[in-house]
Amino acid sequence: MAALRALQPSVRALLCTWPGCPAPRSFVSSAASEYIITAKKGKNSNVGLVQLNRPKALNALCDGLIMELNQALQAFEEDPAVGAIVLTGGEKAFAAGADIKEMQNLTFQDCYSSKFLSHWDRLSRVKKPVIAAVNGYALGGGCELAMMCDIIYAGEKAQFGQPEILIGTIPGAGGTQRLTRAVGKSLAMEMVLTGDRISAQDAKQAGLVSKIFPVETLVEEAIKCAEKIASNSKIVTAMAKESVNAAFEMTLTEGIKLEKKLFYSTFATEDRKEGMSAFVEKRKASFKDQ
């Protein structure tokens, strides 16, 4: 949730504006909105790519950016050709946090009555798998946004943090909850109470990140993973995602019951029949998402 002011003084100067700094690498070809760029990627155009594109503010998550992101997610969710989504930023920053200028004058009444930040949760409700490809800074709201995704790939120089404490507040978009579930109480508490950041390597060791890649190949690797996911049955993939996510909400007994129900449900699909038939016949399955 925290933005640029949450950065340490030694880093803050680095993260302001960079006269003469080259424009960030763009991984997509079609501009969609003011704050994001979208495209369909992969050999079969079955991967939706969303690139946060507010480089001068290190992709600070203003309200307009979140609204455009939600619209893009909805469009990819409704596109039958898309089987997975990749969310990325720039090489300097995935997202450095929320836009503090938008919230600095808000009151408790403003936040409570408007359910401030509630529309950020749209990402966590997408049924299709979402992979976060994180280069550079994922701080505050940027870290929270990445944790709403299903898989996090990180560039070698990525940094993660929840520095809200440094500007007199706490995470407000899931930081204290998702981070604790991902890395455990001790490390999450240290990060939230000190505002310290962790490297991509530390994030992988703690379980926050699944894989680390060179900065220049990160997005391509995320797209490859998304293509692999998208090649499977979309309806069964959605069931698998629902079952894994339930592990964070249910007891073990309740979770296993849900898993069994979803497992049984796959036997009502044509794709389950096709998948098992293809295995027995030693051929590649041809899923129809039915």
Side-chain angles (χ1 to χ4, degrees):
M1 199 179 76
L4 308 182
R5 297 184 186 181
L7 299 173
Q8 300 280 352
S10 60
V11 179
R12 189 180 299 137
L14 171 67
L15 301 182
C16 294
T17 54
W18 309 280
C21 181
R25 186 195 306 266
S26 177
F27 299 97
V28 293
S29 57
S30 58
S33 310
E34 183 178 359
Y35 300 116
I36 66 171
I37 305 172
T38 63
K40 290 168 72 171
K41 292 292 186 176
K43 294 179 181 178
N44 299 316
S45 296
N46 56 0
V47 175
L49 179 63
V50 181
Q51 181 182 6
L52 307 182
N53 188 40
R54 200 185 175 202
K56 291 183 179 179
L58 291 178
N59 292 331
L61 303 170
C62 63
D63 190 62
L65 187 152
I66 295 297
M67 291 180 66
E68 290 180 5
L69 172 61
N70 289 346
Q71 291 168 0
L73 292 172
Q74 183 68 29
F76 284 138
E77 185 89 300
E78 295 174 352
D79 188 336
V82 172
I85 300 168
V86 172
L87 175 62
T88 192
E91 292 186 0
K92 294 286 186 180
F94 174 75
D99 193 323
I100 301 303
K101 292 181 180 179
E102 286 189 347
M103 67 175 68
Q104 69 178 117
N105 295 320
L106 294 178
T107 64
F108 164 75
Q109 290 86 349
D110 293 332
C111 294
Y112 188 79
S113 61
S114 67
K115 296 183 179 179
F116 185 52
L117 300 185
S118 61
H119 62 311
W120 284 39
D121 294 337
R122 176 68 182 87
L123 178 57
S124 66
R125 297 194 300 273
V126 175
K127 287 189 176 182
K128 295 178 180 179
V130 182
I131 302 173
V134 178
N135 267 322
Y137 298 100
L139 305 179
C143 186
E144 290 171 311
L145 202 68
M147 290 190 292
M148 291 181 198
C149 298
D150 302 301
I151 299 170
I152 302 179
Y153 279 5
E156 293 172 326
K157 298 180 182 179
Q159 294 187 36
F160 300 83
Q162 297 291 162
E164 289 86 352
I165 196 76
L166 303 179
I167 58 169
T169 187
I170 70 171
T176 63
Q177 303 304 302
R178 290 190 176 94
L179 185 62
T180 304
R181 286 165 168 77
V183 306
K185 178 183 176 182
S186 183
L187 180 55
M189 192 70 80
E190 180 182 6
M191 292 173 66
V192 170
L193 297 185
T194 66
D196 288 348
R197 302 185 297 276
I198 61 173
S199 66
Q201 292 73 23
D202 289 338
K204 184 178 186 299
Q205 184 176 2
L208 181 62
V209 165
S210 60
K211 291 182 180 179
I212 299 175
F213 296 99
V215 171
E216 61 273 11
T217 64
L218 171 67
V219 174
E220 286 80 2
E221 292 294 342
I223 291 172
K224 287 180 183 178
C225 178
E227 281 189 280
K228 184 178 294 186
I229 292 171
S231 69
N232 296 319
S233 166
K234 295 182 181 63
I235 187 170
V236 176
T237 295
M239 291 179 185
K241 172 175 173 173
E242 180 183 352
S243 189
V244 173
N245 282 336
F248 292 96
E249 307 291 342
M250 297 179 169
T251 65
L252 178 60
T253 299
E254 292 170 334
I256 290 175
K257 286 181 179 178
L258 175 64
E259 181 187 74
K260 281 290 192 295
K261 290 179 180 179
L262 291 169
F263 170 64
Y264 297 156
S265 296
T266 66
F267 283 76
T269 68
E270 293 299 319
D271 284 345
R272 194 279 311 170
K273 296 178 183 178
E274 165 61 15
M276 291 189 177
S277 295
F279 178 83
V280 171
E281 297 166 11
K282 297 182 179 181
R283 59 176 175 81
K284 185 177 180 180
S286 178
F287 297 117
K288 304 298 183 183
D289 305 320
Q290 296 177 353

